[in-house]
Amino acid sequence: MKKIFIEQGNEFNYKIGDIDDEDIFIDEYNQAALCLEDIVSATINLDAKKLKKESGYLNNIIAFSGERGQGKSSAMHSFAQDVLNINNNRLAKKSSISYGQNTLNSKFVKLESIDPSMFEDMHNVLEVVIARMYSRFERKYKTDNNFITKAHRIEIMDYFQKVYESLSFIRNSKKLEELEYDYESSIQKIAHIGDSARLQKDIMELVDKYLNIFARGNENSFLIIPIDDLDINIDNAYKLSEQIRKYLIVPHVIIIMAVKTEQLKRCIEKEYSKQFANLLKEPHRLHKDEPTLMASKYIEKLIPDGRKISLPEIRTISQSGEDAVFLNFTNKEGQNLLRQYQVIMMNNDYNYNGIEKTLLSYIYDKTGIVFIKQKNSVHPIVPNTLRELVNLLSVLGKMDYIWVNNEKQIKTWLRNIKLFEDYFMYTWMPNNLDKNYNHIIVQLYNKSVLEKHQFVCVSIMEIIDKNNIYTIDEKYPDSITNKKIEGLRKKFSRKNVNYLSYSLGDVMSILESLLARYVNNQIYNFAFAIKTIYTITMHRLISINKPHQNRIESNKDYLEPNNLYKFVGGNLWGLNFNTFIKNVDFQYNPRDITVEQLPETGYFKRDKITEDLATELLNITYISNFPRVDNHKVNPSDYDVIYQGQFIAYNNRYKEVVELSLENLLISPLDFKYMCHKSGLIRFEPIYCDVYTEEISKKVNINMVNQIVVNFELNEHIRNSIAEYDSKTEVHYVDIIYDFINNITKCIMQLDYIKSFNGGKELFLDVEFKNELVNLYVKCLYAKKQDDKLKGGLNRYKSIDDILNKDITRRPDKINIAPKVSNVTRLRENVEDVARSIVYYKNRATFSEDTIKAVRDIYNKCNDALRTGGRSAKISTELRANYKEIANKVQKIIDNC
């Protein structure tokens, strides 16, 4: 694996050291080494043939190219230092870079890095290079004058003086013009300073003498000149590039650059546009694109493609396999801070999972925020460049580790959330969102908690309405149709001013529509920013979400839900989530499942409520919603506060139309005490409510529920995983509910960087209570079993009477007397065959009521077994014996008729 080494407290200084095989830029260094070998070999050939530089073009530039913060400067300095150490006998370790033979046999002398972005107008590259050479020579002379004799000093000082005078006159064009018209001046002096080719020759001679001293006579010696960020000096970039091209592309000089070539090209283009401004205005003289073409050709000559080393972006590096990257973020003692979780939790070391998963794990460990790794793309929180990666790690490094379930660390948790929030708002957003989307997110951030849903839904609806260009085919199966958009428009318009009528599920719905309709990077980042603001908001809510805080309890009959429950708003996963189960009507009448106990008048009386009935009604409240208005009304202003509907209203009338909600398995545990108000029982038998609340809080993994709800991406990930469930005709309601619950656990288990909650990663701590709720769901789903909407294969738990009451004209299959099947599903099919035989032969044989009742009982026992154990439920010995007995009896009656 490649590695990135970052030291805490020294994050923003490039690290120069030994390059090993696992360096993140090792491939680019090897590419640069090939360029270096070409330059060295070409220079050696010129020396061998004793040819002048003018006899052939010798490009001596190696450019590390990339975006700002991508690591160009670090790569340039590290490579230059490694080259400098090639012939250093003190190095005990051989370089990991594959240098050519000529390079290994050469000697290199390096100047200090030159940063043209710091130049003033009176400076130029040549002056700085000569000044650096002179400064180093002076230091060398003072410390090693035994090797550098006085004669050497006098000789090389003449070359310094000659070059510097020429530079001074070239820089001062007015003085040069005066000399040219001064007939008393030395004609030799004017000739010497007036020719750039002569200046180039002087520089070559100075470099030759200079290397002879510092390379101690090694003929194959080279002067390395590092130049950093040439493109940042926008006003003088062209002039500086010209100085390099004219005077520094000479033998025995190697220029190593860190430059964004595209920006340098724009600087050159700007200069050409300025020079040819008049020609561009005149018709038919120069095409408007001519400066662009000229700039491209200039860059191609100055830095050919073969000498341009493009550095990889952090986000483009593969996250697995051989290209995975190991992050090493150490403190000053050398301890890798990214391993602390592994040490404490005794878990697998997630450092070897690549940049993306390591960052997602580290963010979770420090903040409790769960980001989900994308299937086909890199998560947007992963930085684009090395500098951005360092920024994020430096922010996370300032945080203490937190244990989400430890209340004593709430202050630390909130502090970490604030640090991450500042990074996201003031670093991530400016780098990843354009001005318009950034403005919307800032507005969202400044909205009060309960106003956020309305603002998001209305803002995104306006974006959808104003953009008619689709990035995917409108007819694509997963596209959001115009009909669906019209439905969203009615709900999410500015006319709906009641912000309490919006829910977290509404935000999920509108984001889903946006992302399905417009697929581009800005929309993707915009949606992610909304999700992150929501996650941060809900983390703050959960940190203060105590059981008996943040409520309005003006009287015993009224109770406000806690802040998180109110923020969710009664709908977690969107308007149409339940439609993923085909042909199922999630509305039912409670009388269909508690006929004997619910009053026929529709009104409750205090003496009619028993403890068992109260428990059942509270369980119904657990899994159901009680809308106060018809959610299908056209006028959006009619939408009411969706979580305030009660089962038993203030006039003691109970709801006869109830909405079953799978999401309530996650919503209700957010505030069990509010269920007492939601059920309406608080006005009748509050003691039952208190007992129920206390008991139920021990049966559900509330910590797990909280973490799912407050992490938008985790919540959405579970929603999408469940929605992918494709209902088949062979799937039974009991399996759907169990699969729903198991899928939640499965999604959590797949995210191995999420720590175990109190009670593990199961949604229910009490299996019996889970089964009780599952059975209640199934009862509610079958409450309308006679409704035409429930016809079809999904209604597998139909009554045996559906067969016994129909006429059958085709002879049924032969009865299986001794079935060898092991699962209940197949046995139930055998019972159906028995029932069909009874109907077919009823006009020729007599079947007693006891016989028909026995068939019904066995069939119902099969259904009960399926509801409890699912489609793979095994046949009990008793059930098999009962079936064999009745099957034999029916078969004998048929045989005797």
Side-chain angles (χ1 to χ4, degrees):
M1 296 180 72
K2 295 179 181 179
K3 294 182 179 180
I4 297 178
F5 293 90
I6 302 169
E7 184 181 10
Q8 189 180 35
N10 196 33
E11 298 98 332
F12 303 102
N13 295 325
Y14 58 79
K15 181 179 179 181
I16 299 177
D18 295 339
I19 296 173
D20 59 28
D21 296 331
E22 297 173 337
D23 193 289
I24 189 174
F25 295 139
I26 187 63
D27 294 336
E28 287 68 37
Y29 292 145
N30 283 321
Q31 186 181 348
L34 292 175
C35 297
L36 181 62
E37 179 70 8
D38 289 343
I39 297 170
V40 171
S41 299
T43 303
I44 291 174
N45 290 334
L46 284 177
D47 292 343
K49 296 177 181 179
K50 301 187 182 302
L51 297 175
K52 295 181 179 180
K53 187 264 173 187
E54 294 88 336
S55 64
Y57 178 72
L58 175 67
N59 184 283
N60 63 345
I61 295 178
I62 302 173
F64 290 94
S65 177
E67 295 291 331
R68 301 267 79 83
Q70 203 163 326
K72 302 185 301 295
S73 298
S74 298
M76 178 193 73
H77 289 291
S78 296
F79 179 72
Q81 185 66 33
D82 198 81
V83 171
L84 187 65
N85 292 334
I86 285 177
N87 302 118
N88 191 337
N89 294 328
R90 291 175 298 174
L91 290 180
K93 180 182 177 182
K94 182 181 177 182
S95 174
S96 295
I97 300 176
S98 301
Y99 294 108
Q101 193 58 45
N102 286 327
T103 302
L104 293 173
N105 293 331
S106 300
K107 181 73 176 180
F108 298 92
V109 178
K110 184 176 77 71
L111 297 182
E112 295 179 10
S113 177
I114 298 171
D115 187 354
S117 65
M118 305 298 293
F119 289 3
E120 301 293 341
D121 288 340
M122 71 287 297
H123 289 153
N124 59 42
V125 170
L126 293 179
E127 286 181 333
V128 176
V129 169
I130 300 306
R132 296 277 169 86
M133 292 174 67
Y134 178 76
S135 176
R136 180 167 182 181
F137 170 77
E138 280 291 287
R139 292 197 304 270
K140 184 74 171 176
Y141 179 74
K142 292 178 181 179
T143 58
D144 194 8
N145 52 18
N146 292 328
F147 181 79
I148 305 176
T149 65
K150 189 174 183 178
H152 285 147
R153 185 177 187 278
I154 293 173
E155 181 183 18
I156 199 169
M157 287 300 293
D158 288 341
Y159 282 101
F160 272 119
Q161 187 66 32
K162 188 190 301 184
V163 171
Y164 193 74
E165 284 181 0
S166 299
L167 284 173
S168 299
F169 279 108
I170 286 179
R171 180 164 58 85
N172 193 339
S173 57
K174 184 177 181 180
K175 180 66 175 178
L176 179 60
E177 185 178 351
E178 291 176 358
L179 272 175
E180 288 175 345
Y181 292 97
D182 184 1
Y183 294 100
E184 295 181 359
S185 179
S186 168
I187 191 68
Q188 289 82 5
K189 186 173 185 180
I190 295 176
H192 177 74
I193 65 177
D195 185 1
S196 62
R198 178 67 189 178
L199 175 58
Q200 186 187 69
K201 185 176 180 180
D202 289 341
I203 291 175
M204 290 169 58
E205 291 176 349
L206 173 62
V207 169
D208 183 63
K209 297 298 181 184
Y210 190 83
L211 289 173
N212 188 52
I213 293 174
F214 282 89
R216 297 183 180 270
N218 190 322
E219 293 183 359
N220 295 338
S221 55
F222 296 85
L223 179 67
I224 296 177
I225 305 176
I227 301 178
D228 194 8
D229 290 334
L230 175 65
D231 54 297
I232 291 183
N233 193 330
I234 296 175
D235 293 334
N236 300 306
Y238 174 73
K239 180 176 69 175
L240 299 173
S241 298
E242 275 293 89
Q243 292 168 4
I244 294 171
R245 184 184 69 83
K246 288 180 179 179
Y247 306 115
L248 293 180
I249 298 183
V250 296
H252 295 281
V253 170
I254 296 171
I255 300 171
I256 303 179
M257 283 187 179
V259 63
K260 182 180 178 181
T261 52
E262 284 299 316
Q263 183 165 313
L264 180 60
K265 183 168 69 174
R266 293 192 194 101
C267 295
I268 306 300
E269 180 182 346
K270 173 189 171 186
E271 182 64 25
Y272 283 151
S273 297
K274 180 180 177 182
Q275 292 180 10
F276 296 108
N278 292 331
L279 291 177
L280 290 169
K281 291 179 182 178
E282 295 180 17
H284 311 297
R285 296 298 298 275
L286 280 180
H287 191 273
K288 63 179 182 179
D289 292 334
E290 191 65 23
T292 303
L293 296 174
M294 293 174 66
S296 297
K297 293 179 180 179
Y298 183 92
I299 294 297
E300 287 176 7
K301 184 173 183 180
L302 182 68
I303 311 173
D305 287 339
R307 299 291 169 77
K308 187 191 305 178
I309 315 298
S310 297
L311 298 183
E313 291 186 357
I314 294 298
R315 291 178 59 81
T316 61
I317 298 173
S318 173
Q319 301 302 302
S320 61
E322 296 180 356
D323 293 330
V325 174
F326 176 84
L327 277 180
N328 195 323
F329 182 49
T330 63
N331 55 21
K332 293 185 178 180
E333 289 73 34
Q335 178 190 9
N336 189 355
L337 300 177
L338 297 177
R339 287 187 174 182
Q340 188 165 347
Y341 171 85
Q342 185 259 342
V343 172
I344 295 176
M345 298 300 297
M346 300 301 291
N347 204 344
N348 292 329
D349 190 347
Y350 56 63
N351 268 282
Y352 289 94
N353 291 322
I355 293 176
E356 182 177 25
K357 194 170 183 180
T358 298
L359 280 179
L360 299 187
S361 305
Y362 199 37
I363 290 171
Y364 174 77
D365 289 340
K366 290 301 186 80
T367 65
I369 293 176
V370 179
F371 289 130
I372 304 297
K373 188 180 185 301
Q374 309 297 307
K375 287 183 179 179
N376 301 314
S377 62
V378 181
H379 194 281
I381 198 62
V382 176
N384 288 298
T385 67
L386 186 60
R387 182 177 301 157
E388 291 174 8
L389 174 63
V390 167
N391 275 335
L392 178 54
L393 286 177
S394 66
V395 171
L396 296 172
K398 295 175 183 177
M399 304 176 185
D400 294 327
Y401 278 87
I402 54 103
W403 311 109
V404 177
N405 298 330
N406 188 342
E407 293 185 5
K408 295 181 180 179
Q409 293 202 12
I410 287 179
K411 289 185 178 179
T412 301
W413 182 16
L414 290 176
R415 173 181 172 273
N416 291 356
I417 290 291
K418 176 60 179 172
L419 288 172
F420 182 80
E421 179 184 58
D422 290 344
Y423 164 82
F424 186 79
M425 294 294 297
Y426 305 119
T427 300
W428 188 92
M429 280 176 43
N431 289 340
N432 293 275
L433 289 180
D434 64 23
K435 183 178 179 181
N436 292 332
Y437 291 129
N438 206 323
H439 178 65
I440 294 174
I441 298 301
V442 171
Q443 286 182 290
L444 170 64
Y445 177 75
N446 292 325
K447 290 289 181 182
S448 66
V449 171
L450 296 179
E451 291 178 309
K452 292 186 188 297
H453 299 334
Q454 181 195 38
F455 177 79
V456 168
C457 292
V458 171
S459 298
I460 294 179
M461 196 67 247
E462 291 180 348
I463 291 173
I464 292 175
D465 284 338
K466 290 178 181 178
N467 290 273
N468 295 320
I469 300 175
Y470 295 84
T471 53
I472 57 177
D473 188 350
E474 287 185 67
K475 297 180 180 179
Y476 188 73
D478 291 338
S479 297
I480 302 299
T481 64
N482 289 330
K483 183 178 180 181
K484 291 181 180 178
I485 290 296
E486 183 60 30
L488 293 173
R489 189 178 290 114
K490 291 177 181 178
K491 166 76 173 175
F492 304 140
S493 71
R494 289 194 177 276
K495 294 181 181 179
N496 184 4
V497 296
N498 184 2
Y499 57 81
L500 291 179
S501 69
Y502 292 85
S503 69
L504 185 63
D506 292 336
V507 176
M508 280 202 177
S509 293
I510 197 72
L511 282 175
E512 180 185 39
S513 302
L514 179 70
L515 291 172
R517 201 172 178 93
Y518 308 105
V519 183
N520 63 57
N521 190 58
Q522 275 298 302
I523 289 290
Y524 186 63
N525 286 345
F526 174 61
F528 168 69
I530 292 174
K531 296 173 188 177
T532 303
I533 294 298
Y534 264 73
T535 296
I536 291 172
T537 299
M538 289 189 286
H539 270 69
R540 287 206 173 94
L541 291 178
I542 200 66
S543 69
I544 59 174
N545 197 24
K546 302 303 176 185
H548 303 295
Q549 290 179 355
N550 311 306
R551 302 173 183 276
I552 299 174
E553 298 186 72
S554 56
N555 59 68
K556 67 176 183 178
D557 295 337
Y558 187 75
L559 180 71
E560 277 283 311
N562 63 36
N563 288 337
L564 184 58
Y565 192 106
K566 193 185 298 185
F567 186 76
V568 170
N571 185 282
L572 188 63
W573 285 336
L575 301 176
N576 301 312
F577 171 74
N578 286 337
T579 58
F580 86 93
I581 303 179
K582 300 179 181 67
N583 303 318
V584 178
D585 190 340
F586 276 84
Q587 289 188 338
Y588 69 97
N589 188 333
R591 280 184 54 81
D592 293 337
I593 61 173
T594 54
V595 177
E596 296 82 10
Q597 299 183 66
L598 288 178
E600 294 183 3
T601 61
Y603 292 89
F604 264 96
K605 294 182 180 179
R606 187 179 300 275
D607 58 359
K608 294 293 184 180
I609 298 179
T610 63
E611 182 176 356
D612 290 341
L613 178 59
T615 300
E616 185 170 9
L617 293 181
L618 284 167
N619 282 342
I620 289 175
T621 304
Y622 193 116
I623 65 174
S624 306
N625 289 327
F626 315 107
R628 301 177 67 182
V629 296
D630 183 0
N631 286 336
H632 300 289
K633 285 189 176 181
V634 175
N635 188 353
S637 63
D638 288 338
Y639 283 94
D640 208 336
V641 182
I642 59 178
Y643 60 81
Q644 286 186 348
Q646 288 183 294
F647 188 17
I648 305 173
Y650 288 102
N651 61 358
N652 294 346
R653 183 175 181 84
Y654 63 84
K655 282 281 185 180
E656 294 185 359
V657 179
V658 174
E659 290 183 350
L660 194 64
S661 172
L662 293 174
E663 301 135 283
N664 274 12
L665 288 178
L666 296 175
I667 296 175
S668 295
L670 298 178
D671 191 350
F672 283 130
K673 188 174 182 181
Y674 184 67
M675 286 176 55
C676 301
H677 166 75
K678 186 178 176 182
S679 67
L681 292 174
I682 193 70
R683 293 186 301 279
F684 292 87
E685 294 292 345
I687 188 171
Y688 292 158
C689 295
D690 293 337
V691 172
Y692 181 85
T693 300
E694 184 177 353
E695 290 182 354
I696 200 173
S697 62
K698 302 174 184 178
K699 299 177 180 180
V700 182
N701 194 339
I702 299 176
N703 289 310
M704 177 177 166
V705 170
N706 287 339
Q707 284 298 294
I708 291 173
V709 173
V710 303
N711 286 288
F712 197 108
E713 284 197 6
L714 175 59
N715 193 354
E716 184 182 48
H717 171 64
I718 292 174
R719 170 189 183 270
N720 294 339
S721 297
I722 293 173
E724 289 177 0
Y725 181 85
D726 187 14
S727 297
K728 301 293 193 301
T729 57
E730 294 299 325
V731 178
H732 315 305
Y733 287 151
V734 67
D735 299 317
I736 290 173
I737 310 303
Y738 275 117
D739 286 346
F740 178 90
I741 297 171
N742 294 335
N743 224 328
I744 294 174
T745 298
K746 181 179 178 182
C747 289
I748 296 292
M749 295 295 291
Q750 288 173 344
L751 304 174
D752 53 4
Y753 56 88
I754 295 182
K755 293 191 284 285
S756 295
F757 307 100
N758 287 346
K761 295 183 178 181
E762 294 287 343
L763 183 59
F764 290 97
L765 306 178
D766 187 306
V767 176
E768 290 185 6
F769 179 67
K770 176 178 73 172
N771 294 335
E772 184 179 339
L773 285 185
V774 170
N775 289 331
L776 181 57
Y777 267 112
V778 174
K779 285 176 66 176
C780 296
L781 287 170
Y782 280 105
K784 297 182 68 174
K785 58 182 176 292
Q786 302 300 327
D787 196 304
D788 289 338
K789 293 181 180 180
L790 291 180
K791 289 181 178 179
L794 271 179
N795 189 17
R796 298 292 294 178
Y797 295 129
K798 58 189 176 183
S799 170
I800 192 67
D801 291 338
D802 291 345
I803 297 176
L804 293 172
N805 294 332
K806 290 181 179 178
D807 291 331
I808 298 177
T809 57
R810 186 176 64 86
R811 176 177 292 185
D813 295 334
K814 186 176 180 180
I815 296 175
N816 187 355
I817 303 298
K820 297 181 180 179
V821 297
S822 60
N823 63 75
V824 176
T825 304
R826 294 293 303 278
L827 182 66
R828 188 179 59 176
E829 293 173 358
N830 291 333
V831 179
E832 292 173 354
D833 290 337
V834 173
R836 291 188 185 97
S837 296
I838 291 175
V839 174
Y840 183 78
Y841 290 101
K842 66 181 179 181
N843 295 326
R844 285 174 274 177
T846 302
F847 301 94
S848 66
E849 289 296 324
D850 290 341
T851 300
I852 296 175
K853 183 178 182 301
V855 173
R856 284 196 182 98
D857 289 343
I858 295 172
Y859 192 84
N860 290 333
K861 287 179 180 179
C862 288
N863 282 342
D864 291 341
L866 287 171
R867 291 188 184 105
T868 305
R871 74 191 84 173
S872 59
K874 303 299 182 182
I875 301 174
S876 66
T877 304
E878 180 184 2
L879 187 59
R880 185 186 296 274
N882 291 341
Y883 171 79
K884 289 177 66 175
E885 180 182 354
I886 195 64
N888 268 307
K889 185 174 182 179
V890 172
Q891 186 63 53
K892 287 180 180 179
I893 294 173
I894 293 173
D895 291 341
N896 294 327
C897 69

